[in-house]
Amino acid sequence: MWQRYLLDGNVTFVQQWLEPMVRLFRTVYIPKYLRNITTTTSATTATTTTIATATTKHLRNTTTTTTTAPRSPPRPNQCWWQEEGNDAMEVSISGSGCRPTLAAAMFGESQVILHLARLNNNHNHNNHNHNNNTTEWLQRLQDEFAYWNRLSQQIVLHLHWNDAQKSFAVVPLSTDNATYDEAKHPSVMPHCNLTATRLPKNEPLRVRELFGYVPWYFEGLIPDASRARYLPQWRHLLDPHAFAAPYGLTSTERRHSCFNFSFIHGNCWNGPSWPFETSRVLTAAANVLNWPYHHRKNNH
């Protein structure tokens, strides 16, 4: 949506999405997906006391108070959790948990909300009949989602990064069941120990999976000053022992003992190549390759 605006400049089209996106983030994403790593409970009350739903009347003529974001620097003691199937990666080796894909997506969502709030604020200021209440609400909105944007970035960079593996990885919580039911699914390969693979808790797993490249999909998530730390991840992409295969990139690195393990399910993304996931990685790769151009452009 924001990329479309950058192309056609249609302010009216993008302005209509601000309130629905804010409402979705506050009422769905935060209560459903945000978790405290220590308690593994919903982290809504830990981060905000009450979050008022954005409505049209707030923008027009009221001074309804919205929650101010915490002022302390964001720390990765929280995460964005999701069941693996809802992340479109059913039967992955890492299983459910705090996922770099979702954290990266929350960075992108909050970033677009920030862009829209700033755009609406500028449009309001340029309007001769601008509403001071609207300006105040939009400024509070920018403060709030600047916090979520920073928090999501910190979660990706400092929670999901496995420096030994040089990859962004899933972080299972203490409530995530690490035990694999071999009685129910006896076809698992004998050399694949999923129970051991999905440990330790609260730490990035030692599994390289293709969705670990998704943080590179979102421009600005990985700061220029930190790129050297994370770039070694790309060495594995075209490694035939990792993701490179005759018929496309595999969804899990080929050297892993649980690569392509059997499971009674139609979609098992623990090995097979999947065009959807490949397309995300190709966009991420394009961002990496285009970085020198954007870097020069932003510094001149």
Side-chain angles (χ1 to χ4, degrees):
M1 177 191 58
W2 183 252
Q3 295 298 323
R4 170 176 168 172
Y5 163 72
L6 295 178
L7 286 173
D8 63 20
N10 189 336
V11 176
T12 303
F13 172 77
V14 294
Q15 281 181 322
Q16 66 180 322
W17 293 104
L18 177 59
E19 291 182 60
M21 290 186 69
V22 169
R23 186 160 52 247
L24 186 64
F25 203 102
R26 289 171 169 175
T27 62
V28 178
Y29 297 159
I30 294 174
K32 187 173 182 178
Y33 300 117
L34 189 65
R35 296 288 187 274
N36 289 323
I37 293 177
T38 52
T39 61
T40 68
T41 58
S42 175
T44 308
T45 56
T47 53
T48 54
T49 51
T50 56
I51 299 180
T53 301
T55 61
T56 303
K57 67 177 181 179
H58 291 166
L59 284 172
R60 292 179 177 172
N61 54 18
T62 72
T63 57
T64 302
T65 301
T66 57
T67 302
T68 301
R71 295 182 179 276
S72 58
R75 299 171 56 189
N77 58 357
Q78 294 174 311
C79 69
W80 295 102
W81 184 97
Q82 193 169 47
E83 194 273 328
E84 60 174 345
N86 294 336
D87 198 13
M89 288 301 291
E90 303 95 314
V91 200
S92 61
I93 292 177
S94 55
S96 302
C98 304
R99 301 181 71 81
T101 44
L102 185 58
M106 292 300 98
F107 172 86
E109 288 277 339
S110 57
Q111 189 174 59
V112 170
I113 292 174
L114 269 175
H115 288 326
L116 292 177
R118 290 166 182 160
L119 180 68
N120 282 13
N121 203 18
N122 292 337
H123 184 76
N124 184 56
H125 276 299
N126 294 332
N127 189 336
H128 294 296
N129 299 317
H130 77 273
N131 189 319
N132 289 331
N133 293 338
T134 300
T135 300
E136 182 182 351
W137 182 82
L138 288 170
Q139 185 57 57
R140 288 198 304 269
L141 203 62
Q142 291 178 63
D143 294 340
E144 178 185 343
F145 281 90
Y147 168 78
W148 293 118
N149 191 249
R150 290 193 304 271
L151 176 63
S152 299
Q153 183 182 50
Q154 292 297 307
I155 289 172
V156 172
L157 298 181
H158 302 299
L159 176 66
H160 287 290
W161 179 250
N162 186 320
D163 199 51
Q165 295 284 106
K166 303 301 181 187
S167 178
F168 295 103
V170 169
V171 176
L173 297 182
S174 58
T175 53
D176 294 321
N177 184 11
T179 302
Y180 187 79
D181 191 348
E182 295 183 3
K184 184 177 180 181
H185 304 289
S187 57
V188 170
M189 296 178 290
H191 57 272
C192 169
N193 188 338
L194 280 178
T195 299
T197 298
R198 293 174 179 177
L199 294 172
K201 300 295 184 66
N202 301 334
E203 298 290 339
L205 295 177
R206 297 182 293 273
V207 182
R208 295 189 188 96
E209 295 172 287
L210 200 60
F211 60 71
Y213 289 93
V214 169
W216 298 90
Y217 183 97
F218 297 92
E219 294 183 22
L221 195 162
I222 299 176
D224 291 350
S226 304
R227 286 172 60 87
R229 180 186 183 191
Y230 304 104
L231 278 173
Q233 180 181 14
W234 290 95
R235 297 173 184 168
H236 301 284
L237 188 67
L238 299 181
D239 183 346
H241 299 291
F243 298 103
Y247 299 102
L249 299 173
T250 58
S251 48
T252 301
E253 64 173 348
R254 303 173 74 187
R255 64 168 66 94
H256 197 280
S257 61
C258 291
F259 172 78
N260 207 26
F261 73 84
S262 299
F263 191 91
I264 306 172
H265 191 274
N267 300 314
C268 297
W269 302 120
N270 50 52
S273 181
W274 189 22
F276 167 76
E277 197 63 46
T278 300
S279 69
R280 296 203 292 184
V281 174
L282 291 176
T283 300
N287 288 338
V288 173
L289 294 174
N290 286 330
W291 177 81
Y293 166 75
H294 289 295
H295 184 71
R296 289 195 301 270
K297 181 180 177 181
N298 293 334
N299 284 278
H300 288 83

